[in-house]
Amino acid sequence: MASNQIVKVATFNARHGAGPFGLALNRHLVATCRTLDADILALQEVDQRVIRSWFVDQPALIGRRLGRQVATARAKRTPVGGRQCNAICARGPLTDVEIVPLPAGPHDEPRVVLLATVALPGAVLSVACTHLQHRGGAPAQLAAALDALATRPLPRIIAGDFNLGADVVEPELARRGYRPAETGPTFPVTNPRTRIDWIAVEGDLDVVRTSVPRPLISDHRPVVADLGVVVVEEP
């Protein structure tokens, strides 16, 4: 017997919790993530032990306050210690965590894709979180991230700040059999004009509804997608 279940997925470039005046506000970061109420939350630009965000391990803080499991991947070190990272936060166990470096030119910042298996009641999902280069290498990085995720079982979800518009992202996703969560613009946070934050799915998943809510912090809007999952129940 089969039934439908909704899994809520969100992606958010949190900009280390920076508010409108550039000051990191960890309580607003947590409050924004709580409001998203996602079963799986992909985060970019969150800090671990950095002076600008009061030396807080932001992914660990979000995990504790929201009761989520957390996996992190270092994106880069900051000039005065600590590191900026990507993270996946989930209501269920995170296993098979892997960090895959993405291609970068000689003048590019290093970028990675964070992979994990997320086990939720009635669903086991392969998830990728990434933050791609804002320079010219982003299309190659998107292809490499999708290659890495292709080694994982279906169904698959990729989420993150791609720093690419629909003219590049949608043909690449379609070529790979992915379906994007359709949304409006996500950047900048006030009067957004461009869509660079994405969620896309492959396999037995349906995008039921989406939103791009206004957060308390950051210069990006999060993307939230309710995904329909077919759950096969024991007779």
Side-chain angles (χ1 to χ4, degrees), residues 130-153:
T130 193
H131 182 192
L132 304 182
Q133 182 62 250
H134 63 280
R135 301 185 179 94
Q141 290 179 343
L142 176 59
L146 291 168
D147 285 344
L149 184 55
T151 66
R152 302 297 185 102

Side-chain angles (χ1 to χ4, degrees), residues 58-146:
Q58 291 181 327
L61 175 67
I62 293 165
R64 288 195 305 273
R65 296 288 176 83
L66 273 60
R68 302 291 195 270
Q69 300 296 309
V70 179
T72 62
R74 185 179 78 185
K76 64 179 181 180
R77 289 195 179 277
T78 63
V80 289
R83 64 185 189 175
Q84 186 182 92
C85 64
N86 302 325
I88 297 173
C89 305
R91 289 189 197 272
L94 285 162
T95 58
D96 302 320
V97 175
E98 182 183 6
I99 301 167
V100 178
L102 299 177
H107 304 295
D108 292 340
E109 294 177 349
R111 300 290 167 128
V112 302
V113 59
L114 173 63
L115 305 168
T117 298
V118 179
L120 300 172
V124 178
L125 306 165
S126 297
V127 179
C129 168
T130 193
H131 182 192
L132 304 182
Q133 182 62 250
H134 63 280
R135 301 185 179 94
Q141 290 179 343
L142 176 59
L146 291 168

Side-chain angles (χ1 to χ4, degrees), residues 156-182:
R156 304 181 184 118
I157 302 167
I158 187 167
D161 174 2
F162 292 176
N163 272 313
L164 292 167
D167 59 327
V168 177
V169 173
E170 290 185 342
E172 181 67 13
L173 292 177
R175 187 175 74 85
R176 305 292 191 111
Y178 281 82
R179 301 175 302 284
E182 297 294 344

Side-chain angles (χ1 to χ4, degrees), residues 49-52 55 77-83:
R49 311 300 181 189
V50 181
I51 188 172
R52 67 187 176 192
F55 297 105
R77 289 195 179 277
T78 63
V80 289
R83 64 185 189 175

Side-chain angles (χ1 to χ4, degrees), residues 43-64:
L43 291 168
Q44 306 87 49
E45 291 194 22
V46 280
D47 281 352
Q48 291 180 309
R49 311 300 181 189
V50 181
I51 188 172
R52 67 187 176 192
S53 48
W54 316 103
F55 297 105
V56 168
D57 184 333
Q58 291 181 327
L61 175 67
I62 293 165
R64 288 195 305 273

